C-alpha cells in the first residue's frame, strides 16, 4: 500500500477478508474480495439478493446557519425547492465560467438552515473550498470527511437485512430517516448506485466497523456479500449512471452528459447557469450515449469511436463487461447526430469491433423495486 493514501475505518476488515486494494480518489479501497468470488459473484449478489459496500471514501460536508439551504440552492445546479425536509437530491457543482462539472453529489435537506452534502472523494476539498469562498456571513461550510463512514446496502433483500437491525426501511426513494445504532445516530437514505432497491447508511466514523459487522451478521441468511468498487462500477455502468472523472468532468457539461434533469433551469442563479443555458439553446456538440457490443468485444475508457468510414465521431468514457448480459457495454461521448440504433466502431486490440448505440439502462431492474 502506498503510504500517502487515506484509509477507511474498515481498512483492517478489508485486509482480513483478502480484498484486492487499490487507489481510488486518494483512498486505499477494496476493488474485489478475490477469496470469495471476486467481481462477478459480488455483482450477482447485488442483482439477486444483497451486497454491502464500504464507500466511506466519499466526502461529507455540513452547510449550516441561517439560510444555508437557500445558499446551497443559489450555487449548486439542482433545485432544492423541489424537495422537502427529510429528502435527498442528486445535484451538480458546476464551474461558473465553463459550465463543466466540478463534482456530482447528494444533498440531504435537514431543514432551511442545515444541508448535509456527500461529494466524491477526490473532489471533496475543492467543493468545500468553493462553497466556503462563496458562503455569506453566518453560513458555515465544514469538511467532515472523516466524521462519518458510508455503507451501501444494495439488492432485493436489502430491506430485510436492515429490518433485522431495527432500522427504518419503508421511506420513499431519495428520502432519509434517522436510526439508532449502539446509542448513536445513523442516517438511512433510500439511495444507491446500483439500480437495485437499496440504502446508504451514514454512521459516525468510529461506529462504521461495528455496523459493518452487524450488517454481515444480519444478512448471513440472505448470503450477503461484501462488495468492492469493481462490482460497484459494473453495476452502475449497467444502469448508465455517470461516474465523475469519466462521464462527467470539467470538460463534460450536464448538457453533454444528458443529466439536465438534475439542473434547476428555472432558478435565477446557480454556478454556470448562463453558459449552460446558452449551450442548451445551441445544442451540445457531443452527447453521452450507451453503446452495446455487436461483436465479442469490451469497450474501455478513452477508446476512439468511429463511423463506418473510419471518421472519428467520439470517445468512450466508461466501458466494461456486463456480468448480467455477458457482453461488452459502455458510455461514449458521440457527435450529436449519432443516435440510438446507429452502428459505431471501436479499435479493440487491433480489430474493428461493431457496437450499437442504445439508450441506457442496459439492464431493466424496475420489476425488482
Amino acid at each position: 500500500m502506498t503510504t500517502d493514501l487515506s484509509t477507511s475505518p474498515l481498512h483492517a476488515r478489508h485486509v482480513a477478508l483478502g480484498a484486492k486494494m487499490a487507489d481510488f480518489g486518494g483512498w486505499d479501497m477494496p476493488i474485489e474480495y478475490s477469496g470469495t468470488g471476486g467481481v462477478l459473484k459480488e455483482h450477482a449478489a447485488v442483482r439477486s439478493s444483497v451486497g454491502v459496500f464500504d464507500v466511506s471514501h466519499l466526502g461529507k460536508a455540513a452547510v449550516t446557519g441561517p439560510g444555508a439551504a437557500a445558499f446551497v440552492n443559489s450555487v449548486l445546479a439542482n433545485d432544492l425547492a423541489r424537495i422537502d425536509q427529510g429528502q435527498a437530491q442528486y445535484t451538480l457543482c458546476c464551474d461558473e465560467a465553463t459550465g463543466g462539472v466540478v463534482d456530482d453529489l447528494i444533498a440531504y435537506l435537514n431543514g432551511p438552515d442545515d444541508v448535509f452534502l456527500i461529494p466524491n472523494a477526490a473532489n471533496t476539498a475543492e467543493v468545500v473550498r468553493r462553497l466556503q469562498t462563496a458562503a455569506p456571513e453566518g453560513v458555515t461550510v465544514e469538511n467532515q470527511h472523516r466524521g462519518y463512514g458510508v455503507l451501501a446496502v444494495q439488492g432485493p433483500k436489502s430491506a430485510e437485512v436492515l429490518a433485522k437491525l431495527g432500522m427504518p426501511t419503508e421511506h420513499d426513494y431519495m428520502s432519509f430517516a434517522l436510526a439508532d445504532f449502539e446509542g448513536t445516530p445513523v442516517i438511512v437514505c433510500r439511495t444507491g448506485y446500483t439500480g437495485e432497491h437499496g440504502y446508504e447508511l451514514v454512521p459516525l466514523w468510529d461506529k462504521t466497523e461495528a455496523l459493518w459487522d452487524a450488517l454481515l451478521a444480519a444478512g448471513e441468511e440472505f448470503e450477503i456479500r461484501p462488495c468492492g468498487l469493481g462490482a460497484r462500477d459494473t453495476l452502475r455502468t449497467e444502469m448508465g449512471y455517470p461516474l465523475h472523472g469519466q462521464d462527467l468532468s470539467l470538460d463534460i457539461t450536464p448538457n453533454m452528459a444528458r443529466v439536465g434533469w438534475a439542473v434547476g433551469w428555472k432558478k435565477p442563479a446557480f454556478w454556470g447557469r448562463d453558459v449552460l443555458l446558452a449551450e442548451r439553446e445551441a445544442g451540445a456538440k457531443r452527447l453521452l450515449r450507451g453503446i452495446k457490443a455487436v461483436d465479442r468485444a469490451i469497450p474501455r475508457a478513452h477508446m476512439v469511436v468511429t463511423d463506418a468510414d473510419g471518421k472519428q465521431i467520439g470517445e468512450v468514457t466508461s466501458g466494461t463487461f456486463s456480468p448480467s448480459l455477458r457482453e461488452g457495454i459502455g458510455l461514449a461521448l458521440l457527435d450529436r447526430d449519432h443516435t440510438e440504433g446507429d452502428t459505431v466502431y471501436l479499435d479493440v486490440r487491433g480489430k474493428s469491433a461493431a457496437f450499437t448505440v442504445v439508450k441506457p439502462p442496459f439492464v431493466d431492474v424496475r420489476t425488482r423495486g
Side-chain angles (χ1 to χ4, degrees):
M1 185 189 88
T2 305
T3 56
D4 60 353
L5 293 180
S6 297
T7 57
S8 93
L10 294 173
H11 188 264
R13 289 289 189 270
H14 302 319
V15 172
L17 286 168
K20 177 183 177 182
M21 308 293 288
D23 180 357
F24 198 92
W27 290 68
D28 195 41
M29 298 299 293
I31 302 303
E32 64 176 347
Y33 299 87
S34 54
T36 57
V39 171
L40 294 181
K41 288 191 176 181
E42 293 164 22
H43 181 110
V46 173
R47 288 280 182 247
S48 63
S49 183
V50 61
V52 57
F53 301 79
D54 176 17
V55 286
S56 298
H57 64 301
L58 294 175
K60 306 96 193 173
V63 185
T64 56
F71 161 62
V72 170
N73 202 31
S74 72
V75 293
L76 300 187
N78 212 337
D79 189 354
L80 272 180
R82 294 173 177 169
I83 67 171
D84 296 320
Q85 183 173 325
Q87 291 183 308
Q89 184 182 72
Y90 177 80
T91 189
L92 305 161
C93 175
C94 296
D95 183 74
E96 177 69 8
T98 68
V101 181
V102 177
D103 196 26
D104 61 338
L105 57 163
I106 302 291
Y108 290 62
L109 183 61
N110 291 312
D113 302 332
D114 187 351
V115 181
F116 184 68
L117 301 174
I118 298 189
N120 285 292
N123 303 324
T124 298
E126 179 60 14
V127 169
V128 168
R129 184 194 69 78
R130 290 182 182 232
L131 290 170
Q132 287 176 337
T133 300
E137 186 176 353
V139 172
T140 300
V141 181
E142 182 183 2
N143 189 336
Q144 299 181 338
H145 209 149
R146 296 179 183 275
Y148 301 90
V150 185
L151 301 179
V153 185
Q154 300 284 299
K157 299 294 185 181
S158 57
E160 294 176 63
V161 174
L162 265 61
K164 289 188 68 175
L165 296 180
M167 293 189 171
T169 62
E170 297 299 321
H171 43 303
D172 293 335
Y173 182 63
M174 295 301 286
S175 64
F176 61 91
L178 280 180
D180 177 88
F181 179 72
E182 297 185 349
T184 62
V186 175
I187 302 170
V188 180
C189 195
R190 256 287 283 124
T191 50
Y193 199 44
T194 66
E196 297 292 342
H197 190 105
Y199 304 84
E200 290 180 314
L201 312 183
V202 186
L204 295 176
W205 185 269
D206 60 5
K207 287 291 184 178
T208 306
E209 190 175 74
L211 181 55
W212 170 270
D213 293 344
L215 288 166
L216 289 178
E220 189 172 356
E221 68 177 279
F222 308 110
E223 298 184 339
I224 192 171
R225 279 185 182 269
C227 299
L229 298 184
R232 193 167 186 257
D233 192 59
T234 57
L235 289 158
R236 71 93 188 169
T237 305
E238 287 187 347
M239 298 309 299
Y241 294 158
L243 174 66
H244 192 274
Q246 292 183 199
D247 315 297
L248 292 165
S249 71
L250 283 170
D251 297 319
I252 303 175
T253 68
N255 292 317
M256 297 166 68
R258 301 173 76 189
V259 291
W261 54 268
V263 177
W265 296 108
K266 295 182 179 179
K267 292 198 304 180
F270 60 87
W271 286 332
R273 179 179 184 271
D274 292 346
V275 66
L276 288 172
L277 280 170
E279 182 188 50
R280 185 187 187 209
E281 180 67 24
K285 293 181 179 180
R286 283 187 169 179
L287 296 172
L288 195 67
R289 308 259 187 205
I291 56 171
K292 188 176 181 180
V294 175
D295 306 315
R296 292 176 62 85
I298 301 173
R300 297 299 184 191
H302 307 301
M303 283 184 173
V304 171
V305 184
T306 65
D307 63 14
D309 297 324
K311 177 186 176 183
Q312 182 174 343
I313 58 169
E315 181 181 356
V316 176
T317 54
S318 287
T320 192
F321 172 77
S322 164
S324 300
L325 302 176
R326 312 298 294 183
E327 58 190 353
I329 62 171
L331 300 173
L333 269 180
L334 302 179
D335 292 349
R336 65 174 300 112
D337 55 343
H338 293 274
T339 187
E340 283 81 11
D342 289 355
T343 301
V344 298
Y345 300 86
L346 305 181
D347 183 332
V348 180
R349 296 182 178 177
K351 295 183 179 180
S352 179
F355 286 76
T356 302
V357 180
V358 298
K359 181 179 181 180
F362 299 92
V363 174
D364 187 357
V365 300
R366 289 174 295 179
T367 58
R368 299 203 289 272

